[in-house]
Structures are given as structure tokens and as C-alpha cells.
Amino acid sequence: MSNSPDGIYEKGIVDPGLPVLNSTKPFWLSEPSKISKLQSPWTDEADFVIIGSGMSAASLARSLYAKRPGLSVVLVEARDLCSGATGRNGGHCKAQSPGDWHARRSKYGVDEAVKIMEFEHRHVRETIAAVAEHRIECDLHVLEGLDAYYDPKVFQHAVSAVMEMRTVAPQLGALYTIYTSRKDLDKRNCSKQVLGAIGMRAASLWPYKFVTGLLAKLVEQGLRIQTNTAVTSITDRDIDPFATVNTTRGVIKAKAVVHATNGWVGHLIPELRPYVSPVRANVQRRLPSPIQPRTNNSWWLRYGEKDYDYMMQRPDGSFIIGRSNTGRRATADDSQVDFLPHTHLRGATPLVHDFGTKDIETTHAWSGPVAFSHDGNQFVGKLPFPGRSHQWVSAAFQGIGMVRAFLSAQLLAHLILDERIPDYYPLSLLITEERLSTLPQPTSKL
């Protein structure tokens, strides 16, 4: 649909197709997991089939086994394990700009806006806890995430949001720290062009190692994984107690099928194409020489409210940098990168961030599909379309899946198992006929 409030790219309805086999090579996949190509013994029946193998799939499988250890769960992935958005992102776990508060409050009211903001912040705590619980080696680094602002109007917009949150929701407002002095900004490695910054608790990690490490633990509990197995179609009849998942390697009957494919979700669910747009994001790993000391910050370089780059430093001194807005294309094809974003990352970024040297090598440049919705929220729940009675979805994370996907999958587990939904979940995430009816639908196709 491509006219989401987040991002600038061509408009139209897009069929993302299946994941391509000649994808660009992200840094995160440079050390493949021992289960990266796992194909478990085949089963023709399962309680759950999860399509996808990224953050959503791993979190959902973890939640299902924690609640019902005896379940039969099969995870199906078209390529190697975790080769989609999670294996191609920026390694950031940080809530979105505090400036988003204004739009969320206006659209949903104070209470729901607070839940949405806290939902993102909760991901930092949940990720840290999951890494510790499962003892996963994934370079987890707890730090202060900064929104660094270059435009006074945009900075003031965010500051006013923090001040308002401190009034109407003190526990939320207290999560943000505003920096305006040159001393504070220099201490946090912000360039001289930065007018001000807003900090919050955040984390960086190797997302591929986090997910594949978690999935390896779940395999020990009975999870079956079928990599390099593309789902071609799903047969779903209301009169049957199951749906039939048709794949390139065989058929699986499942009581429930979960679409956890994010940018590719519209391919198997064409009803979602008017509401979910696949968008190609662009990322690089840049290595300064000499290596600079590691800082205790990550950065979102905000040139405008919806125009920004994100950046975090790795333990080896390299930086992972992503271009988060202009120049992207509405496609799930990650075999190519977009020219303007990658040119920008190579040329403009040293001007807005001090790497400590002008000698910087780009060691990896890649792309990955993310997904956007019209109203800026993901879709979580049972599909409200005819012929989809056994199918569920958790997708469309607006390019910030690190602070949306993990808990969205936990919410989905509550829904699938017909449990009471804890009060802290924002219900505006749920996919319903009523919500879809409020969203505009473009008619053109790309």
C-alpha cells in the first residue's frame, strides 16, 4: 500500500512474492548457526505451523512451549534460518522517538498511547531477560539509546512530548532524559551539528545469534524446523479441524497456521496487500581505522521526524548503520540494495557523526524487507477473512521489529491459546474487521 505515515516510497499494492534465493549478504549471517540449514524429521501433522524464522517466530514458539510443553510445533522457513528482517536489521533494541507520543495520543487517547510507548520500552527488558534465561551468547550490550536531533522544530516537538508524558504518565516520562548542553552531547559522541538529544535505556546485540540461539534451545524441547522449505499455498476450509500447509517439500496439516513473515506476509495473504507494504531497508557495517574506543551509546540521527538514520557500535569497533527513510523501494526483494540510501550512508554519515577518523571501510552492505501499515501499528491476531479460520498473523512492525515483534508474538500466544490478555498490551495492535475498515485502500498496483 506504500502510503504509510512512516517512510517515503512509491505508492501501490505490492505482492512481495517468495523470498529470493540470491539475497544480499548481511554481516549478521557471517557466522552461520549450527542449525542454520536444519531440516527436522518430517511430520504430516502438527498443532501449530509457524511460517518464518525470525524474532516473531522464535518468540511465539518460546511462549507456546512455556505454556503448553506438549504441543507439536513446526517452523517452516523458505531460506536458511533467520535470513529475513531479523537477520538483516541494525541490531538495535530501542523505543521509537518520543515525538511519536503526539500522534499516538491524538489517535488512540492517553491510556492506549501510554501502553504503546511502554510496550516498546518493555522490549528492552524482555530481551535482556530472555538472553539471561537461555544463556545466549549474542553480544548483548545494555546502553543509553539517543535520539540526536539536527532540526530545532523536530527537537522541540520531541521535548514537548516528553514534558507532556511526565505530566500525564510520570512512569513513562521518567524513562527519557533530555540533553541540551554541549558538554552532555560531546560526552555522548554527538556531532557539533546536534542541537539536542533525548536518551533512554536501550540495548544492542547480534540479532541473528539471539534468535538462532533461542531456536536451538527450543529444538531441544521438541520444536521441528524445516529450512529451505517454501510455503506455496494454504488450504483452509471452515468445516475442517485443520488447515493444510502446502510446501515445496511436502504437506503439513495444522490446527493453526501463523504467518510470521513480516514483509512477505502479503504473498500468502493477498487480502492484506492493501494494508501492508513491504519496503526494502538498507544497512551497512562500517569499520573505522584506527578502531575507536567503544561508547556506551547508540544513536538515531533525526534530521526530521520521519527522516533519520540509526547507528550502533559493535564490540569490534565497527558501526552498524541503517538508512531509515528516503530512497527506499516498495519491494521484498533483498537481492539488491537501494542506491540513494547506500550512497548517503557512505558519504553523508561522517558529516553528522564523528567516527574519530576519515579512514572508514564499508565491509558489508545489504538490504532487507520490512513492513509498514497505514496506521503505524502492527497486525496481531486471527485473520478476519473468509477461508482463513485456522490462520493467525503477527507482522508489519514498521521497521522497528526489535521493539515490536518479541512481545507481539507473546500477545499472539495468549490469543491462540484463548487466554486472558494482560492489561499492559495495547489492543490497538489487534487485527479486526473494524480496524481494517478505517484504513484507506489504494487501488493501483506496482
Side-chain angles (χ1 to χ4, degrees), residues 164-370:
E164 185 173 310
M165 284 186 276
R166 288 177 179 176
T167 299
V168 302
Q171 78 286 355
L172 175 60
L175 300 178
Y176 302 96
T177 303
I178 300 171
Y179 300 106
T180 56
S181 75
R182 191 68 255 164
K183 180 180 178 181
D184 284 337
L185 296 174
D186 289 343
K187 184 179 179 180
R188 288 160 178 81
N189 205 25
C190 294
S191 72
K192 299 302 181 182
Q193 292 84 2
V194 172
L195 305 173
I198 298 177
M200 64 201 78
R201 192 178 190 226
S204 65
L205 68 157
W206 192 312
Y208 172 84
K209 287 187 176 181
F210 172 57
V211 166
T212 56
L214 179 54
L215 289 174
K217 303 285 186 181
L218 297 175
V219 168
E220 297 174 0
Q221 298 181 40
L223 175 67
R224 297 194 183 201
I225 293 177
Q226 304 298 345
T227 64
N228 296 289
T229 305
V231 176
T232 55
S233 65
I234 299 169
T235 305
D236 193 346
R237 303 191 306 168
D238 294 344
I239 62 173
D240 293 332
F242 56 82
T244 301
V245 180
N246 305 295
T247 82
T248 51
R249 293 181 53 241
V251 171
I252 309 174
K253 295 179 179 179
K255 296 176 184 177
V257 178
V258 178
H259 298 265
T261 54
N262 202 32
W264 287 283
V265 72
H267 180 64
L268 291 173
I269 314 172
E271 300 94 325
L272 278 180
R273 291 176 198 168
Y275 307 105
V276 178
S277 176
V279 175
R280 187 163 57 208
N282 298 272
V283 191
Q284 294 180 6
R285 176 181 181 265
R286 307 206 73 205
L287 183 63
S289 180
I291 298 297
Q292 304 301 303
R294 192 176 189 187
T295 68
N296 200 38
N297 292 100
S298 63
W299 305 265
W300 286 58
L301 309 172
R302 293 197 173 274
Y303 321 117
E305 190 60 41
K306 301 297 183 181
D307 186 10
Y308 51 87
D309 299 324
Y310 57 80
M311 179 166 57
M312 69 91 164
Q313 190 179 16
R314 296 263 308 127
D316 61 8
S318 65
F319 289 84
I320 305 296
I321 308 170
R323 178 61 170 152
S324 295
N325 201 301
T326 56
R328 302 183 299 186
R329 293 292 175 264
T331 178
D333 181 356
D334 54 13
S335 67
Q336 303 178 43
V337 299
D338 293 312
F339 174 76
L340 287 178
H342 278 274
T343 300
H344 163 84
L345 293 175
R346 283 185 170 90
T349 306
L351 300 178
V352 296
H353 181 82
D354 182 9
F355 287 90
T357 175
K358 293 182 179 180
D359 186 5
I360 308 169
E361 177 189 5
T362 300
T363 65
H364 297 72
W366 67 91
S367 67
V370 294

Side-chain angles (χ1 to χ4, degrees), residues 7-157:
I8 303 172
Y9 31 83
E10 66 267 50
K11 303 182 187 305
I13 298 174
V14 181
D15 177 0
L18 289 171
V20 299
L21 299 182
N22 59 333
S23 58
T24 53
K25 305 303 179 185
F27 168 75
W28 305 125
L29 301 187
S30 62
E31 296 182 17
S33 165
K34 63 181 180 181
I35 62 170
S36 63
K37 297 181 182 295
L38 178 63
Q39 292 184 342
S40 301
W42 191 267
T43 178
D44 296 329
E45 297 183 356
D47 293 315
F48 295 93
V49 167
I50 303 172
I51 308 172
S53 65
M55 188 73 73
S56 296
S59 178
L60 177 60
R62 172 179 181 251
S63 297
L64 291 174
Y65 277 114
K67 296 172 181 294
R68 309 281 174 85
L71 287 174
S72 170
V73 182
V74 178
L75 186 153
V76 183
E77 167 58 52
R79 303 189 294 204
D80 287 357
L81 205 64
C82 195
S83 58
T86 302
R88 298 172 177 275
N89 66 26
H92 252 151
C93 190
K94 175 195 158 301
Q96 258 287 29
S97 165
D100 283 1
W101 163 261
H102 293 298
R104 290 168 173 174
R105 173 185 50 75
S106 176
K107 184 175 181 62
Y108 300 110
V110 169
D111 291 344
E112 184 71 0
V114 169
K115 287 185 178 182
I116 295 172
M117 304 293 280
E118 290 184 337
F119 178 81
E120 293 182 0
H121 286 284
R122 180 182 287 268
H123 275 78
V124 179
R125 302 194 299 273
E126 291 281 344
T127 300
I128 294 170
V131 169
E133 176 187 345
H134 299 284
R135 299 180 181 179
I136 300 173
E137 294 295 329
C138 59
D139 293 347
L140 177 68
H141 180 43
V142 181
L143 46 76
E144 182 184 43
L146 292 174
D147 283 277
Y149 295 89
Y150 298 81
D151 181 280
K153 184 177 180 180
V154 176
F155 180 50
Q156 187 53 49
H157 181 75

